[in-house]
Amino acid sequence: MTMSKSTQPTAPKRIVVKLGGSMLERLNENHIANFKRLQKQGTDLIIVHGGGPAINKQLAENGVASTTIGGIRVTSKEAVTIVQSVLVGQVNPTLVHQLNKGGMTAIGLSGYDNLLTCDFLDKETYGFVGEIKEVNNNLIETLLANGITPVISCFGCANDGTPLNINGDTVASKIALAIKAESLLLVTDTPGIKINGEVQQVVTASAINNWIESEDIYGGMIPKVTAALDCLAEGIPSVQIVGESLEGTTILQQEVFA
Ligand SMILES: Nc1ncnc2c1ncn2[C@@H]1O[C@H](COP(=O)(O)OP(=O)(O)O)[C@@H](O)[C@H]1O
Ligand SMILES: CC(=O)N[C@@H](CCC(=O)OP(=O)(O)O)C(=O)O
């Protein structure tokens, strides 16, 4: 796990690691050893996870169709119940168990646990998808102060308790901003942003915007780069999109060579 190549050795004080659904199946001892090493160096670690492939499977098994727009799942009332049971009932406890078995002290949470305050993003277009209005920092801070790693699934609710599906990258970025993380690491199934088949080591915000326009960046990569750019724009110093080796693309806000 590197920070940007030029600022390597010191461990960040706070890091949000987002584990994508496909990555979860490949999580191994080395990853957990990396997380533990960071904690030993004094880093506060917060883990956010998705679960796209597991959700797809469960929706298909239940004969519930779903589509995505710009990487965001259009979530019907029927689908949101399935998403909740997969993320909160299956994926989260499995991951928490794995981390604890590996020697960490981790606890499972979702946005539903009084952690995220949400509204509907746009009910007509996306259905039961949440837009995060507020993050309850106190809960996260209390856990971190006690050496406990919060493991947060990307699911929340409206004020009246209506369950809402939220993209994992979006949850990770909002939490990173709320707790003033120094680093956001988005771990996925591709070793960084690829353009014409080549992994890009360092990219800028303007290059990303051009690649979205040219559709070299599409689907699930869109919420990732949006999350990355939001964090950089609001002052988080380091954002990376990495594959399972935890090496990949570093994203810079500024055109450093301009
Ligand atoms: N330019 C790009 N470089 C790499 N992957 C891309 C790019 N554009 C779109 N993608 C797609 O984004 C996917 C990662 O997003 P997603 O499947 O949502 O991952 P996760 O479950 O980790 O959030 C890749 O597997 C790939 O299909
Ligand atoms: C609204 C929305 O898109 N929710 C996502 C939540 C899971 C997720 O983000 O999983 P990954 O991290 O594996 O992509 C979904 O239903 O797939």
Side-chain angles (χ1 to χ4, degrees), residues 109-117 134-137 139-140 152-153 175:
L109 290 168
S110 81
Y112 221 113
D113 300 314
N114 199 26
L115 184 62
L116 304 175
T117 306
E134 219 179 302
V135 176
N136 177 0
N137 291 358
L139 187 53
I140 299 177
I152 301 165
S153 64
I175 289 178

Side-chain angles (χ1 to χ4, degrees), residues 225-236:
V225 294
T226 306
L229 295 182
D230 284 353
C231 282
L232 286 165
E234 292 189 42
I236 292 184

Side-chain angles (χ1 to χ4, degrees), residues 18 20-22 52-53 169 187-190 192-195 216-221 224:
K18 187 265 176 168
S22 44
D169 302 312
V187 191
T188 184
D189 63 350
T190 168
I193 298 174
K194 285 186 189 166
I195 301 298
D216 287 301
I217 287 179
Y218 56 89
M221 190 52 72
K224 250 176 253 311

Side-chain angles (χ1 to χ4, degrees), residues 32 36 39 98-105:
I32 298 178
K36 284 202 295 191
Q39 283 185 315
Q98 215 176 340
L99 296 171
N100 283 325
K101 272 220 120 173
M104 295 179 69
T105 306

